[in-house]
Amino acid sequence: MKPLFFAISLLLSWQSIASDETTEQTQPQTSNEQKAEKKDVPSLEFIEEKPATEQKSASETEKATVEAAQVEEEAAKATSETTTSSDEQKATAAALKAVAEVDDSKVLGTQTPAPAEQPKTVAEKQQAVAEAEKAVNQAKEALTAKQQEKARQSRESMAVIEQLIAAYNARNIDAFIKMYDENVEFYTFPNELMFTGKEKLIARYGIMFKKLKCIKSSPIKRIVLGNIVIDHELSETCTQDPKVVDKRSEFVTSYKIENGKITKVLFFR
């Protein structure tokens, strides 16, 4: 029994020793592998902090760029507003200066009368009334003189046109061209030049007077203002028999008269 018991104890001791050696060999290897892995893998804190720093720097740079652009825009806007305001002030000052330099001393109704002293006695009142009446009469006389001059021009202009129509109806070319200026101008409305001068006038109307058997022009309506006469005319002509009118037409003609002669004719057709 003793030898058997001794053999079992020896076997158990040997197994225990073998197990301990296996555990010691495994632990150092595992520890070495963990150290190697830790050596190869960089710190997590380092990996996380570096991108965060770069992102923060980029964000600050972008923010600074936006703020700089806003400052430049506000500065440009302020400069524009200042320039516009300055231009408006200059334009206003120039307009005021131009108004101040206008000479309105000869424009009726623009004078600023000085305040008149109130008459104190009866004699002063009568004198003030007399002076006022005198001023009114002078104004009336000045206006009447202009009207009279305009009326005189109207009468003279109408007389010239009456003589012109009489010569036209009589087909008298000499009397007809006598009423025109040497450099008379003929236009069709609005401003198309037909011809200039008496020579072309003679060639145009001289042939017509010889060709036609009768001509009669009579005004339907006439407007006279100074040296301008506007006639709405009815024209009748005889091409075959002097007693038979075979053509009728209406014309509106404007005449300008200067120094007793027609200087410009405008036909409305």
Side-chain angles (χ1 to χ4, degrees):
M1 289 293 291
K2 287 181 180 180
L4 179 61
F5 180 78
F6 178 76
I8 291 171
S9 298
L10 183 62
L11 179 61
L12 293 171
S13 297
W14 180 83
Q15 290 178 351
S16 177
I17 292 169
S19 176
D20 292 337
E21 289 178 356
T22 303
T23 301
E24 289 176 359
Q25 291 176 0
T26 304
Q27 287 179 354
Q29 183 178 1
T30 303
S31 177
N32 291 333
E33 290 176 357
Q34 290 176 354
K35 289 180 180 180
E37 290 176 357
K38 289 182 180 180
K39 185 177 181 180
D40 295 334
V41 178
S43 175
L44 291 176
E45 294 179 356
F46 178 77
I47 293 174
E48 293 176 357
E49 290 178 359
K50 186 175 181 181
T53 304
E54 292 179 355
Q55 292 177 1
K56 183 177 180 180
S57 176
S59 176
E60 290 178 353
T61 303
E62 183 179 357
K63 183 177 180 181
T65 304
V66 172
E67 290 178 354
Q70 291 178 351
V71 170
E72 291 180 358
E73 183 178 357
E74 291 178 357
K77 184 177 180 181
T79 303
S80 177
E81 291 177 352
T82 303
T83 304
T84 303
S85 177
S86 177
D87 293 341
E88 291 178 353
Q89 291 177 357
K90 290 181 180 180
T92 303
L96 292 174
K97 183 178 179 181
V99 171
E101 292 178 352
V102 172
D103 182 14
D104 59 356
S105 60
K106 296 182 180 181
V107 181
L108 184 63
T110 59
Q111 300 89 342
T112 303
E117 296 182 358
Q118 295 295 328
K120 299 178 180 179
T121 63
V122 175
E124 290 178 350
K125 290 181 179 180
Q126 291 177 350
Q127 183 179 359
V129 171
E131 290 178 354
E133 290 179 351
K134 182 179 179 181
V136 171
N137 290 332
Q138 288 177 348
K140 287 182 178 180
E141 289 175 359
L143 182 60
T144 302
K146 291 181 180 179
Q147 291 175 341
Q148 290 177 351
E149 175 63 20
K150 186 70 70 174
R152 182 190 64 79
Q153 288 182 348
S154 298
R155 289 193 299 270
E156 291 181 355
S157 299
M158 189 165 55
V160 170
I161 300 305
E162 289 290 347
Q163 295 179 49
L164 178 72
I165 292 176
Y168 180 84
N169 291 340
R171 293 179 294 158
N172 186 338
I173 189 64
D174 293 331
F176 182 75
I177 64 173
K178 185 179 179 181
M179 309 311 301
Y180 290 93
D181 184 77
E182 291 292 334
N183 299 314
V184 61
E185 297 177 343
F186 280 75
Y187 291 86
T188 56
F189 182 83
N191 57 359
E192 182 181 351
L193 181 63
M194 297 173 60
F195 61 89
T196 303
K198 278 188 174 182
E199 292 183 1
K200 293 185 178 180
L201 178 66
I202 294 171
R204 184 184 183 92
Y205 285 89
I207 296 175
M208 184 178 67
F209 287 168
K210 292 180 179 180
K211 183 178 179 180
L212 296 176
K213 304 300 181 180
C214 77
I215 300 176
K216 183 179 181 182
S217 176
S218 54
I220 299 173
K221 185 176 182 179
R222 174 173 291 170
I223 299 174
V224 183
L225 181 62
N227 65 336
I228 301 297
V229 178
I230 301 175
D231 265 0
H232 179 193
E233 307 171 21
L234 173 64
S235 177
E236 299 175 320
T237 57
C238 308
T239 58
Q240 302 296 330
D241 190 339
K243 297 182 179 180
V244 178
V245 175
D246 50 19
K247 186 177 180 180
R248 290 183 175 86
S249 56
E250 293 184 14
F251 300 97
V252 176
T253 310
S254 172
Y255 303 93
K256 183 177 181 181
I257 298 93
E258 293 177 311
N259 298 322
K261 301 291 184 180
I262 300 171
T263 58
K264 183 178 180 179
V265 179
L266 176 63
F267 293 112
F268 297 83
R269 305 207 176 176

